[in-house]
């Protein structure tokens, strides 16, 4: 009799979670600046870094955090839509849509939140000896 694979709270099996964890490890090696951005966003939005790299859409708050991370990777790190899509396991059009959504919301309190993220990214990259324009890019 086949043994059932135990699922997590979001319906993922153990092997799926392990695959996402491996993707996070590869991300830190391949593009530490992008990993830093994602980590800051995940922490501030109170989601797991691995949730940002899930293939499924997940909960709305996770999708919103992922969209914010995509936007910040574009504007702060200068990554192309294609590069960001590769980082997140998504198509460039998905990244473009995410960036447009965030850009449309940039006003009032949300604008201040984005400014705070940008300052935190600058500080974190400087602390790690990385600079947005010079940070390692994803190997294609």
């Amino acid at each position: 009799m086949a043994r059932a694979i135990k699922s997590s709270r979001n319906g993922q099996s153990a092997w799926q979670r392990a695959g996402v964890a491996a993707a996070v490890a590869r991300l830190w090696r391949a593009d530490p600046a992008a990993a830093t951005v994602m980590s800051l966003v995940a922490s501030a939005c109170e989601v797991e870094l691995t949730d940002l790299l899930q293939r499924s859409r997940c909960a709305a708050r996770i999708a919103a955090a992922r969209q914010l991370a995509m936007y910040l990777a574009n504007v702060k790190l200068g990554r192309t839509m294609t590069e960001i899509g590769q980082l997140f396991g998504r198509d460039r059009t998905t990244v473009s849509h995410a960036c447009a959504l965030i850009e449309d919301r940039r006003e009032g309190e949300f604008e201040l939140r984005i400014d705070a993220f940008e300052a935190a990214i600058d500080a974190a990259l400087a602390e790690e000896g990385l600079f947005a324009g010079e940070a390692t890019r994803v190997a294609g």
Side-chain angles (χ1 to χ4, degrees), residues 42-91:
S43 177
C45 295
E46 298 179 353
V47 300
E48 295 293 323
L49 179 57
T50 54
D51 288 340
L52 296 181
L53 298 175
Q54 296 294 336
R55 289 293 305 147
S56 67
R57 291 183 185 178
C58 303
R61 67 184 182 83
I62 295 170
R66 184 184 301 122
Q67 290 168 343
L68 179 59
M70 289 177 176
Y71 173 81
L72 291 168
N74 180 251
V75 298
K76 287 305 293 178
L77 302 179
R79 301 297 189 265
T80 66
M81 302 290 176
T82 301
E83 290 171 331
I84 296 167
Q86 289 172 349
L87 290 171
F88 285 89
R90 294 201 162 39
D91 187 77

Side-chain angles (χ1 to χ4, degrees), residues 15-27 50 53-54:
W15 66 268
Q16 288 170 319
R17 287 190 309 275
V20 172
V24 170
R26 281 191 307 274
L27 174 64
T50 54
L53 298 175
Q54 296 294 336

Side-chain angles (χ1 to χ4, degrees), residues 74-125:
N74 180 251
V75 298
K76 287 305 293 178
L77 302 179
R79 301 297 189 265
T80 66
M81 302 290 176
T82 301
E83 290 171 331
I84 296 167
Q86 289 172 349
L87 290 171
F88 285 89
R90 294 201 162 39
D91 187 77
R92 66 174 177 75
T93 59
T94 302
V95 179
S96 177
H97 176 72
C99 290
L101 284 175
I102 298 297
E103 192 63 44
D104 287 346
R105 292 182 57 201
R106 282 197 76 153
E107 58 182 52
E109 189 174 317
F110 190 71
E111 176 76 22
L112 298 174
R113 186 173 180 209
I114 298 292
D115 291 344
F117 271 116
E118 291 176 345
I121 290 167
D122 289 340
L125 293 178

